[in-house]
Every structure is written in C-alpha cells, then in structure tokens.
Amino acid sequence: MKNKVVWITGASSGIGEALVYAYHSLGASLIISSRNADELQRVKSNCHGPFPIHILTLNLEDHDSLSAKARTAKLVYGQIDILINSGGISQRSLAMETDLAVEKRFFDINFWGTVILSKAVILQSLPGSGLSIVAVSSLVGKFGTRYRSAYSASKHALHGYFDSLRSELDDPNIHILLACPGFIRTNVTLNALTANGTAQGTMDHAQENGMAPAAFAEKLIKAILARKEEVYIGGKEIYGVYLKRFFPRLFSKIIRKAKVT
Ligand SMILES: NC(=O)c1ccc[n+]([C@@H]2O[C@H](COP(=O)([O-])OP(=O)(O)OC[C@H]3O[C@@H](n4cnc5c(N)ncnc54)[C@H](OP(=O)(O)O)[C@@H]3O)[C@@H](O)[C@H]2O)c1
C-alpha cells in the first residue's frame, strides 16, 4: 500500500478505527475523519509506523460542507486512491414508535453523507487513476430485521444508488464496493439511536459476541484488493442473505423470531 492514499470516515471508532491500524501497518498514507477530533487524535497516537496520518474532522449530516472537505482531503497528499465510508449510526427502536426526525437522520448520515462524499471524490479523481469507493452497508442492507427499519432502509438505499452509479460510470478505473458487515464487536449498539433519538448506551449481546474489528478489516482490505463489488463479512448471520434469496418465505418466518440484539 506504499504511495497509496486511503481516506477513512468513521475512523474514530470500531470498523473505521481497525481499518486505520490495518492500512497504517501496510504503509498507506491516511486521512482519518469523524466528528470527534480528540478520538481521532487517540487513534493516530496508537499508530507508530513512519507513514503519515492526517486528521480531517467532518460531520456527515452537514451536507453543504462535504464537497469542501473532499477538496481539502485531495490537497493533503495530492490524490485519493481509496475512500472508505465507514461513518454511520445504527438504530434500536420499533418502526411504529420512532420519530420521523430520527428516521431521517439515518438517511442523512448513512445514505446522503456517504453519497455526497463519494460523488465529490469521484468528480475530482483523475482519469485512469484507479479509485476505489467503499460504502460500508450492512447485512440489513440486504434484508430487514426488527429494530432496524429506517437504518435498514438507509443501507438498502446505498445498494440501489451505488449499483446504479457503477453501471452509469461503466469505468474500470472506478471500483465501487458495497461491504456488508454482520455482527462486528464495536460501539455501534452503544451509539445506536432509540425511538426519540437518544443513544441506546448499552451493548447488545449479539454485538458483544461478534467478529473482532481487526478480523473484519483484514477481510475488507482483501475484498478491496480483489475489486469485489459486494461482500458479506461476519459470522453465520451472513447465510441470511442466501436464505432470503433462495427461500424468501422461510426466511420471513425465521427473521421474525431471530435474536438481533
Ligand atoms: N458493528 C457492526 O456490527 C456493524 C454491522 C453492520 C454495519 N455496520 C456499519 O459499519 C459502520 C461503522 O460502524 P461501527 O460498527 O464501527 O460503529 P461505531 O464504533 O459506533 O463507529 C461509528 C463511526 O461513525 C462516526 N460517525 C457517526 N456519526 C457521524 C457523523 N454524523 N459524521 C461523521 N462521522 C460520524 C463515529 O465518529 P464520531 O462520533 O467521532 O463522529 C464513529 O467513528 C457504520 O456505517 C455501521 O452502520 C456496523
């Protein structure tokens, strides 16, 4: 990865943080982003190799600011080779109880934040430069479960958008990957929004027993190198994708009872 520039959002925690450590150890030059500058500084301090790390704070909800952030990011090292959109927020609330304003936030952050940043990076990429754009979706970007309605919808929307964009661009130099994590052991459930928009603040059992973020990062990096278009990474929960595809009625019965917290 030497001489490669990787921009990672959601870099202050969980999957994004693990990706920072993995790419740093591979010798990439990094731009790391999220809202919390102190947490980004902590992540940077944990990296001891000689390869550069630049902190660029951003808020994915502040849509008007994101094109300027992309221009700033390009100026840091003069290029961007890989953008990994890991910044996002999950949900733990029933659809019928959740405020519309909260439901819209999942789209503002997970969908529009990712789309706006990705388009800005694609627009400023040089022809033939070999850009990879990664949208971190979810297994619930492939099927819905309890407590995730608007979150799941925001992740499904990423698939529709980026699959369409990939076919429109039809450019072998621009690689677009939709990465679908299963249960990965991060703070995602602590930060997940409840019906009124407050953070859940507790760790789900399923998350606690999920895949380690470092193992996830290793698999994602391989998928990027292999220029895959879609990848499912997690434990046995990934079989849900195939169950839904080939046995939709059976899947529908099972998912109602499935333990997803
Ligand atoms: N862990 C899982 O099991 C799992 C499963 C499926 C999908 N995912 C997806 O994986 C991605 C990473 O999640 P994670 O598990 O690493 O969770 P996490 O530990 O909670 O990390 C979420 C990251 O997103 C950033 N973020 C949240 N809101 C933001 C905003 N408005 N603007 C900018 N950055 C924001 C957070 O940083 P700041 O608070 O500093 O802004 C943090 O760095 C998310 O898209 C999530 O939906 C995770």
Side-chain angles (χ1 to χ4, degrees):
M1 295 305 298
K2 292 202 179 75
N3 304 320
K4 293 282 180 201
V5 177
V6 185
W7 184 11
I8 301 170
T9 71
S12 63
S13 178
I15 287 174
E17 178 176 355
L19 285 163
V20 173
Y21 302 143
Y23 272 114
H24 182 71
S25 70
L26 292 171
S29 302
L30 291 170
I31 303 167
I32 63 174
S33 294
S34 81
R35 291 165 301 181
N36 190 325
D38 291 343
E39 282 300 301
L40 292 170
Q41 189 54 54
R42 175 188 62 77
V43 172
K44 181 176 175 175
S45 313
N46 288 336
C47 297
H48 302 297
F51 311 109
I53 299 180
H54 180 87
I55 290 175
L56 177 63
T57 55
L58 58 75
N59 183 349
L60 292 166
E61 273 180 287
D62 184 3
H63 297 157
D64 291 343
S65 70
L66 295 179
S67 294
K69 292 288 178 183
R71 285 194 293 277
T72 307
K74 170 111 188 260
L75 289 174
V76 176
Y77 307 109
Q79 69 191 68
I80 294 168
D81 298 295
I82 302 174
L83 167 65
I84 304 182
N85 294 284
S86 190
I89 192 125
S90 191
Q91 175 183 12
R92 293 297 180 274
S93 60
L94 296 171
M96 295 307 290
E97 295 175 357
T98 306
D99 293 345
L100 179 61
V102 177
E103 295 187 299
K104 285 183 172 174
R105 283 194 75 196
F106 297 112
F107 275 82
D108 281 343
I109 299 170
N110 300 341
F111 179 72
W112 287 116
T114 296
V115 164
I116 294 167
L117 209 58
S118 300
K119 281 173 79 174
V121 168
I122 290 170
L123 273 173
Q124 64 187 17
S125 69
L126 296 173
S129 57
L131 173 67
S132 280
I133 300 283
V134 180
V136 178
S137 169
S138 170
L139 287 186
V140 301
K142 302 298 290 182
F143 54 79
T145 71
R146 289 165 64 80
Y147 307 117
R148 311 280 203 281
S149 50
Y151 171 71
S152 171
S154 72
K155 296 294 191 179
H156 272 75
L158 287 173
H159 288 258
Y161 195 97
F162 281 101
D163 284 347
S164 297
L165 181 63
R166 189 192 293 113
S167 67
E168 284 176 10
L169 293 172
D170 194 18
D171 180 349
N173 282 303
I174 300 180
H175 161 229
I176 295 177
L177 168 63
L178 286 142
C180 304
F183 294 119
I184 314 299
R185 208 182 317 131
T186 70
N187 288 342
V188 74
T189 69
L190 293 171
N191 298 325
L193 302 183
T194 59
N196 64 7
T198 54
Q200 171 167 259
T202 54
M203 187 71 150
D204 284 354
H205 177 78
Q207 228 73 41
E208 219 161 18
N209 294 289
M211 177 182 270
F216 176 91
E218 197 179 309
K219 287 179 190 291
L220 180 60
I221 289 171
K222 281 187 185 153
I224 297 169
L225 278 171
R227 296 177 78 75
K228 293 202 167 160
E229 295 189 349
E230 189 164 296
V231 64
Y232 315 125
I233 304 174
K236 61 181 184 331
E237 64 275 12
I238 66 174
Y239 296 118
V241 176
Y242 305 102
L243 195 59
K244 169 149 169 104
R245 191 176 302 162
F246 298 114
F247 305 100
R249 287 169 71 105
L250 175 64
F251 175 82
S252 178
K253 280 187 186 154
I254 291 173
I255 204 67
R256 287 173 214 193
K257 308 272 180 237
K259 180 108 183 75
V260 294
T261 55

